[in-house]
Amino acid sequence: MLTDQNVGLFITGGIASYKMAELARLLIKQGANVRVVMSRSATEFITPMTLQILTKNEVLTDTFEERHPEFVQHVEMAQWADIAIVAPATANVIGKIANGIADEIVSTTLLAHDKPLIIAPAMNDRMLSNPATKRNLALLEEDGHTIIEPDTGFLAEGYEARGRLPELTRIVDVVIKRHVQKGLRQLLHGKKVVVTAGGTVERIDPVRYISNDSSGKMGYALARAAEWYGGDVHLISTKKSMVAPEGVTVEYVESAREMQEAVERQYDDAQFVVMAAAVSDYRVKNKADQKIKKSGDSSDLVIDLEENPDILAGLGAKKKHQTLIGFAAETENLIENAMSKIKRKNADWIIANDVSKDGSGFNVDTNEVTIISSDKSVYQLPEMTKLDAALSIWQTVLEAEDRS
Ligand code: CTP
């Protein structure tokens, strides 16, 4: 998602500096060109050589070590970077950037960088809650910079508190969002979007259940992309172990009926509802309250099933201003079956995919979808990552709605 983007990684001296080798790798894996600038304190925690080898670029550590007579290195670096990330950002560098102080290579280069920064503070909890640090962070936000909230967790000091560097994947997410958003019209600005994701879980007893192969990836990608389009996104998910997308509110549910209740609670003021979840059509009728014990005789072990509500059809029946987007996982007659689902469920759009194909459907990172509207327009997309597919789905839907 960051192909050919120039990312400047500015490392200052905190214990989390050692994680920057991995952050550089993750950014490079996304296609970015990465160049690193390190404060002298950062070099106490991780060597410039490590970052030079990983990024295949020279690392700047000293304002006066001018190796290229044809330009001034910190000015050239500041202009080269399309995106600049300060991570980990110490209280010291936060104070300097907020107040325009330039007295070493990181702060001097950042003063010459004229685009908003992404700043990931990481420090001791008391330093973080110091009024001076809070004041400086507030100033940076006022200036339009993005601050990634530090996590609460096990600090280097040996206790749990706020101040940990966030998961690196969260930092990468913010960088991707900043880059992708530049090219997107904020067509969902001020609009509430509800997305469901994952396979519902129907309990047999407290430790056993019936579910399906849905990974939740397509729903999460749609939620992420909707947020990038400016939406106020509420994700209803069965996947507690998946990392919540940045800026998205996540509510966890288990069964189809819990999902139905959660969606209906959000329905009245929602503009878009995306039913990407794989909802179990049936639930266990004779659910056991206690764990079913092995008795040695399985002849009386029967699981009775009863039908679950069809959430999408229920929403379709009471639709007012909402746009309803459903999915159709098919193994044959894709378009025909999807068209009949649109009608049956009173949806506005159906995203159909042939789950029998290799790069499509459950548990893979790619998808090949066909977007079908209630006015029978058909848009066939090639196989692409689920995130790219999510962006294309929103683009198709939002541009069509914008035209009508
Ligand atoms: N869906 C739903 N509630 C259900 C079943 C499905 O809201 N009880 C939604 C899904 O989230 C999806 C769409 O309906 O957006 C189609 O789901 P799918 O499983 O393909 O269709 P079914 O209606 O279950 O029909 P079939 O299994 O016969 O293909």
Side-chain angles (χ1 to χ4, degrees):
M1 301 295 287
L2 295 171
T3 308
D4 295 335
Q5 284 302 292
N6 293 341
V7 177
L9 176 57
F10 294 79
I11 310 176
T12 57
I15 183 64
S17 312
Y18 80 91
K19 297 180 181 171
M20 294 306 102
E22 186 58 23
L23 182 62
R25 288 188 64 241
L26 292 175
L27 293 165
I28 292 165
K29 257 174 112 176
Q30 289 288 333
N33 310 311
V34 178
R35 281 171 65 186
V36 174
V37 183
M38 295 172 78
S39 69
R40 213 203 58 74
S41 319
T43 65
E44 298 282 342
F45 295 93
I46 182 168
T47 69
M49 180 63 77
T50 305
L51 289 146
Q52 178 177 310
I53 290 170
L54 289 173
T55 61
K56 298 189 175 64
N57 280 313
E58 141 186 297
V59 174
L60 304 187
T61 55
D62 184 344
T63 318
F64 299 106
E65 206 176 288
E66 291 281 356
R67 298 183 198 120
H68 306 277
E70 63 278 19
F71 54 76
V72 177
Q73 64 175 7
H74 65 271
V75 176
E76 186 273 337
M77 172 69 201
Q79 284 164 8
W80 173 87
D82 301 314
I83 300 169
I85 319 166
V86 192
T90 58
N92 187 37
V93 84
I94 287 169
K96 287 185 199 174
I97 312 168
N99 294 286
I101 296 168
D103 63 351
E104 45 69 63
I105 186 76
V106 169
S107 51
T108 306
T109 310
L110 291 174
L111 198 62
H113 182 73
D114 53 7
K115 299 177 196 98
L117 307 170
I118 295 170
I119 299 167
M123 65 193 77
N124 170 269
D125 56 319
R126 290 188 185 88
M127 293 167 94
L128 188 63
S129 55
N130 184 293
T133 311
K134 283 175 140 171
R135 206 166 43 237
N136 288 329
L137 284 170
L139 274 179
L140 290 173
E141 269 191 321
E142 251 174 59
D143 287 346
H145 301 303
T146 303
I147 313 290
I148 309 182
E149 257 296 292
D151 276 351
T152 296
F154 193 69
L155 300 184
E157 291 79 352
Y159 56 86
E160 292 263 329
R162 192 167 149 263
R164 258 178 77 85
L165 188 79
E167 289 297 321
L168 299 180
T169 48
R170 241 184 90 200
I171 301 178
V172 175
D173 265 9
V174 174
V175 178
I176 292 175
K177 175 178 165 175
R178 166 72 66 77
H179 166 58
V180 175
Q181 251 185 342
K182 276 190 289 198
L184 298 182
R185 275 167 69 202
Q186 296 292 283
L187 291 167
L188 285 174
H189 179 73
K191 298 196 168 148
K192 178 167 163 184
V193 179
V194 179
V195 181
T196 64
T200 60
V201 168
E202 306 298 335
R203 289 272 158 203
I204 299 169
D205 71 14
V207 295
R208 302 181 179 95
Y209 59 80
I210 299 174
S211 191
N212 57 59
D213 263 342
S214 168
S215 64
K217 286 178 181 168
M218 197 61 228
Y220 272 65
L222 281 155
R224 242 176 122 185
E227 206 268 332
W228 292 347
Y229 268 103
D232 173 10
V233 185
H234 190 97
L235 175 62
I236 297 168
S237 164
T238 62
K239 299 285 175 188
K240 279 202 178 116
S241 58
M242 282 177 83
V243 180
E246 197 65 25
V248 168
T249 307
V250 189
E251 178 180 355
Y252 296 104
V253 294
E254 204 175 80
S255 66
R257 284 192 297 179
E258 279 173 26
M259 181 171 278
Q260 182 183 37
E261 278 173 29
V263 177
E264 291 192 345
R265 266 198 306 276
Q266 302 298 329
Y267 194 48
D268 285 352
D269 59 345
Q271 262 81 31
F272 289 86
V273 178
V274 186
M275 282 298 303
V279 184
S280 313
D281 288 328
Y282 297 94
R283 66 174 175 273
V284 177
K285 196 175 176 184
N286 50 340
K287 189 174 93 179
D289 291 335
Q290 304 299 331
K291 185 181 170 203
I292 301 169
K293 303 298 280 182
K294 189 165 57 186
S295 68
D297 174 15
S298 60
S299 60
D300 61 343
L301 261 187
V302 176
I303 296 175
D304 288 325
L305 299 177
E306 62 187 328
E307 204 167 338
N308 264 330
D310 189 314
I311 305 173
L312 183 59
L315 299 175
K318 55 180 178 183
K319 184 166 71 176
K320 292 194 183 97
H321 56 275
Q322 295 89 347
T323 298
L324 292 183
I325 305 170
F327 270 72
E330 307 293 346
T331 54
E332 57 182 352
N333 303 331
L334 190 75
I335 300 204
E336 215 175 284
N337 283 333
M339 291 271 191
S340 100
K341 269 178 199 166
I342 287 203
K343 232 175 157 179
R344 195 153 36 90
K345 306 196 185 207
N346 195 24
D348 300 284
W349 298 84
I350 286 279
I351 316 302
N353 55 1
D354 181 345
V355 284
S356 64
K357 275 194 177 172
D358 271 354
S360 196
F362 291 157
N363 263 325
V364 287
D365 287 324
T366 52
N367 213 352
E368 187 181 324
V369 300
T370 305
I371 307 169
I372 300 160
S373 74
S374 54
D375 68 8
K376 299 195 171 66
S377 308
V378 176
Y379 308 81
Q380 172 73 54
L381 302 185
E383 183 181 321
M384 55 178 90
T385 67
K386 286 190 170 167
L387 198 48
D388 281 328
L391 283 165
S392 299
I393 291 168
W394 280 118
Q395 186 184 3
T396 307
V397 169
L398 294 173
E399 285 180 358
E401 302 252 326
D402 204 34
R403 282 194 299 272
S404 64

